[in-house]
Amino acid sequence: MASSKRHAMTRSMITEASASVFAKKGFHGATMDEIAKEAGYSPAGLYKYFRSKEEIFGELLRLLLQASLEQVESMMPDSLSFELRLRLLLSRMAQFGVKHRELFRASLLTLHCPVEVEPGLRGEFLENHRTYVEALRSFIQQGIDSGELRSVDALDAATALIGLLHAFGARW
Protein backbone atom coordinates (compact mmCIF):
# COMPACT_ATOMS: atom_id res chain seq x y z
CA MET A 1 0.00 0.00 0.00
CA ALA A 2 1.33 3.43 -0.92
CA SER A 3 2.52 5.59 1.94
CA SER A 4 0.05 8.39 1.13
CA LYS A 5 -2.89 5.95 1.14
CA ARG A 6 -1.79 4.51 4.46
CA HIS A 7 -1.40 8.04 5.85
CA ALA A 8 -4.93 8.98 4.66
CA MET A 9 -6.42 5.77 6.10
CA THR A 10 -4.74 6.38 9.46
CA ARG A 11 -6.00 9.99 9.54
CA SER A 12 -9.51 8.72 8.80
CA MET A 13 -9.31 6.10 11.56
CA ILE A 14 -8.07 8.68 14.08
CA THR A 15 -10.81 11.09 13.03
CA GLU A 16 -13.51 8.47 13.51
CA ALA A 17 -12.06 7.43 16.88
CA SER A 18 -12.07 11.05 18.02
CA ALA A 19 -15.85 11.27 17.61
CA SER A 20 -16.54 9.38 20.83
CA VAL A 21 -14.12 11.59 22.77
CA PHE A 22 -15.69 14.79 21.42
CA ALA A 23 -19.18 13.38 22.03
CA LYS A 24 -18.39 12.60 25.68
CA LYS A 25 -16.25 15.61 26.54
CA GLY A 26 -17.21 18.31 24.03
CA PHE A 27 -14.57 20.14 22.06
CA HIS A 28 -13.11 22.08 24.97
CA GLY A 29 -13.07 19.10 27.35
CA ALA A 30 -11.42 16.67 24.91
CA THR A 31 -7.64 16.34 24.97
CA MET A 32 -5.13 15.04 22.47
CA ASP A 33 -4.13 12.41 25.06
CA GLU A 34 -7.71 11.08 25.20
CA ILE A 35 -8.05 11.11 21.41
CA ALA A 36 -4.73 9.27 21.08
CA LYS A 37 -5.80 6.64 23.61
CA GLU A 38 -9.18 6.13 21.87
CA ALA A 39 -7.42 5.75 18.52
CA GLY A 40 -4.78 3.38 19.92
CA TYR A 41 -1.86 5.79 19.47
CA SER A 42 0.53 7.62 21.71
CA PRO A 43 0.06 11.40 21.81
CA ALA A 44 3.39 11.79 19.98
CA GLY A 45 2.20 9.35 17.31
CA LEU A 46 -0.99 11.35 16.86
CA TYR A 47 1.00 14.48 16.03
CA LYS A 48 2.45 12.69 12.99
CA TYR A 49 -1.03 12.89 11.48
CA PHE A 50 -2.62 16.02 12.98
CA ARG A 51 -1.18 19.29 14.22
CA SER A 52 -3.92 19.94 16.75
CA LYS A 53 -7.25 19.00 18.26
CA GLU A 54 -8.79 21.75 16.11
CA GLU A 55 -7.53 20.06 12.96
CA ILE A 56 -8.97 16.70 14.04
CA PHE A 57 -12.33 18.27 14.83
CA GLY A 58 -12.36 20.10 11.49
CA GLU A 59 -11.76 16.82 9.71
CA LEU A 60 -14.53 15.24 11.76
CA LEU A 61 -17.02 17.90 10.65
CA ARG A 62 -15.94 17.55 7.02
CA LEU A 63 -16.46 13.79 7.22
CA LEU A 64 -19.95 14.22 8.66
CA LEU A 65 -20.98 16.81 6.08
CA GLN A 66 -19.64 14.81 3.17
CA ALA A 67 -21.36 11.63 4.31
CA SER A 68 -24.63 13.49 5.04
CA LEU A 69 -24.67 15.09 1.62
CA GLU A 70 -24.02 11.72 -0.01
CA GLN A 71 -27.21 10.42 1.65
CA VAL A 72 -29.27 13.12 -0.05
CA GLU A 73 -27.49 13.08 -3.39
CA SER A 74 -27.31 9.29 -3.78
CA MET A 75 -29.27 7.94 -6.68
CA MET A 76 -32.94 7.27 -6.14
CA PRO A 77 -34.81 4.98 -8.52
CA ASP A 78 -36.87 7.21 -10.83
CA SER A 79 -39.49 4.48 -11.04
CA LEU A 80 -40.47 5.04 -7.40
CA SER A 81 -43.15 7.49 -6.37
CA PHE A 82 -42.06 10.58 -4.45
CA GLU A 83 -43.49 9.05 -1.27
CA LEU A 84 -41.35 5.93 -1.64
CA ARG A 85 -38.25 7.98 -2.52
CA LEU A 86 -38.89 10.11 0.59
CA ARG A 87 -39.23 7.00 2.73
CA LEU A 88 -36.00 5.66 1.25
CA LEU A 89 -34.21 8.94 1.93
CA LEU A 90 -35.46 9.10 5.53
CA SER A 91 -34.45 5.48 6.05
CA ARG A 92 -30.96 6.20 4.71
CA MET A 93 -30.66 9.27 6.93
CA ALA A 94 -31.81 7.34 10.01
CA GLN A 95 -29.38 4.49 9.29
CA PHE A 96 -26.60 7.02 8.81
CA GLY A 97 -27.48 8.69 12.12
CA VAL A 98 -27.42 5.40 14.00
CA LYS A 99 -24.22 4.19 12.33
CA HIS A 100 -22.43 7.50 12.97
CA ARG A 101 -24.14 8.36 16.23
CA GLU A 102 -21.00 9.52 18.06
CA LEU A 103 -19.83 11.58 15.08
CA PHE A 104 -23.24 13.22 14.71
CA ARG A 105 -23.54 13.88 18.44
CA ALA A 106 -20.03 15.34 18.66
CA SER A 107 -20.68 17.75 15.82
CA LEU A 108 -23.99 18.93 17.28
CA LEU A 109 -22.50 19.50 20.72
CA THR A 110 -19.65 21.57 19.39
CA LEU A 111 -20.92 23.25 16.25
CA HIS A 112 -22.40 26.22 17.99
CA CYS A 113 -19.45 26.87 20.31
CA PRO A 114 -18.47 30.55 20.26
CA VAL A 115 -14.81 29.83 19.52
CA GLU A 116 -13.58 29.17 15.97
CA VAL A 117 -12.11 25.67 16.27
CA GLU A 118 -10.11 25.90 13.03
CA PRO A 119 -9.52 29.02 10.94
CA GLY A 120 -12.14 29.18 8.19
CA LEU A 121 -13.96 26.05 9.35
CA ARG A 122 -17.19 27.81 10.30
CA GLY A 123 -17.43 29.41 6.85
CA GLU A 124 -16.63 26.11 5.14
CA PHE A 125 -19.19 24.33 7.28
CA LEU A 126 -21.88 26.91 6.55
CA GLU A 127 -21.23 26.69 2.81
CA ASN A 128 -21.43 22.88 2.89
CA HIS A 129 -24.56 23.11 5.05
CA ARG A 130 -26.17 25.40 2.45
CA THR A 131 -25.38 22.78 -0.21
CA TYR A 132 -27.02 20.11 1.98
CA VAL A 133 -30.12 22.25 2.55
CA GLU A 134 -30.35 23.03 -1.17
CA ALA A 135 -30.16 19.32 -2.06
CA LEU A 136 -33.03 18.59 0.34
CA ARG A 137 -34.99 21.61 -0.93
CA SER A 138 -34.58 20.39 -4.51
CA PHE A 139 -35.70 16.90 -3.54
CA ILE A 140 -38.83 18.24 -1.84
CA GLN A 141 -39.53 20.56 -4.77
CA GLN A 142 -39.58 17.50 -7.05
CA GLY A 143 -42.42 16.09 -4.94
CA ILE A 144 -44.31 19.37 -5.15
CA ASP A 145 -43.77 19.66 -8.92
CA SER A 146 -45.01 16.10 -9.48
CA GLY A 147 -48.17 16.84 -7.48
CA GLU A 148 -47.35 14.10 -4.99
CA LEU A 149 -46.62 16.57 -2.21
CA ARG A 150 -48.90 19.37 -1.16
CA SER A 151 -47.61 22.78 -2.09
CA VAL A 152 -45.39 24.04 0.71
CA ASP A 153 -42.30 26.19 0.78
CA ALA A 154 -39.65 23.60 -0.10
CA LEU A 155 -36.92 25.48 1.76
CA ASP A 156 -39.02 25.62 4.93
CA ALA A 157 -39.74 21.89 4.63
CA ALA A 158 -36.03 21.07 4.12
CA THR A 159 -35.07 23.23 7.10
CA ALA A 160 -37.72 21.57 9.25
CA LEU A 161 -36.48 18.12 8.25
CA ILE A 162 -32.91 19.04 9.20
CA GLY A 163 -34.19 20.48 12.47
CA LEU A 164 -35.93 17.20 13.29
CA LEU A 165 -32.75 15.26 12.57
CA HIS A 166 -30.76 17.61 14.79
CA ALA A 167 -33.34 17.28 17.58
CA PHE A 168 -32.93 13.49 17.56
CA GLY A 169 -29.15 13.88 17.58
CA ALA A 170 -29.27 16.37 20.46
CA ARG A 171 -31.44 13.98 22.46
CA TRP A 172 -28.68 11.33 22.20
Side-chain angles (χ1 to χ4, degrees), residues 37-109:
K37 183 178 179 183
E38 185 70 27
Y41 280 81
S42 68
L46 201 62
Y47 283 103
K48 292 179 183 176
Y49 299 96
F50 291 96
R51 292 182 309 265
S52 64
K53 175 175 74 169
E54 290 82 3
E55 185 180 359
I56 296 172
F57 189 73
E59 192 63 27
L60 188 63
L61 289 180
R62 286 182 193 98
L63 178 67
L64 177 66
L65 276 170
Q66 177 185 5
S68 295
L69 189 56
E70 286 171 3
Q71 298 301 308
V72 177
E73 292 180 335
S74 63
M75 292 299 294
M76 295 274 191
D78 291 333
S79 60
L80 296 179
S81 67
F82 175 77
E83 179 184 350
L84 290 176
R85 286 185 291 134
L86 179 60
R87 287 176 185 249
L88 179 59
L89 175 63
L90 294 174
S91 174
R92 287 177 181 172
M93 293 170 102
Q95 289 172 6
F96 173 81
V98 169
K99 181 178 179 183
H100 301 285
R101 185 178 189 142
E102 294 297 317
L103 173 65
F104 190 69
R105 183 170 178 263
S107 69
L108 285 177
L109 288 175

Side-chain angles (χ1 to χ4, degrees), residues 2-53:
S3 176
S4 62
K5 269 190 174 179
R6 188 171 34 252
H7 184 82
M9 287 177 57
T10 302
R11 278 179 58 94
S12 179
M13 187 274 307
I14 291 168
T15 301
E16 289 184 26
S18 75
S20 65
V21 177
F22 287 123
K24 291 173 192 160
K25 304 279 185 152
F27 175 78
H28 296 292
T31 66
M32 288 293 274
D33 286 348
E34 292 167 322
I35 293 169
K37 183 178 179 183
E38 185 70 27
Y41 280 81
S42 68
L46 201 62
Y47 283 103
K48 292 179 183 176
Y49 299 96
F50 291 96
R51 292 182 309 265
S52 64
K53 175 175 74 169

Side-chain angles (χ1 to χ4, degrees), residues 115-136:
V115 175
E116 181 77 25
V117 294
E118 181 182 342
L121 179 61
R122 195 173 306 280
E124 179 184 340
F125 179 83
L126 291 174
E127 183 57 38
N128 288 336
H129 183 70
R130 279 190 282 274
T131 301
Y132 180 66
V133 171
E134 176 54 28
L136 280 174

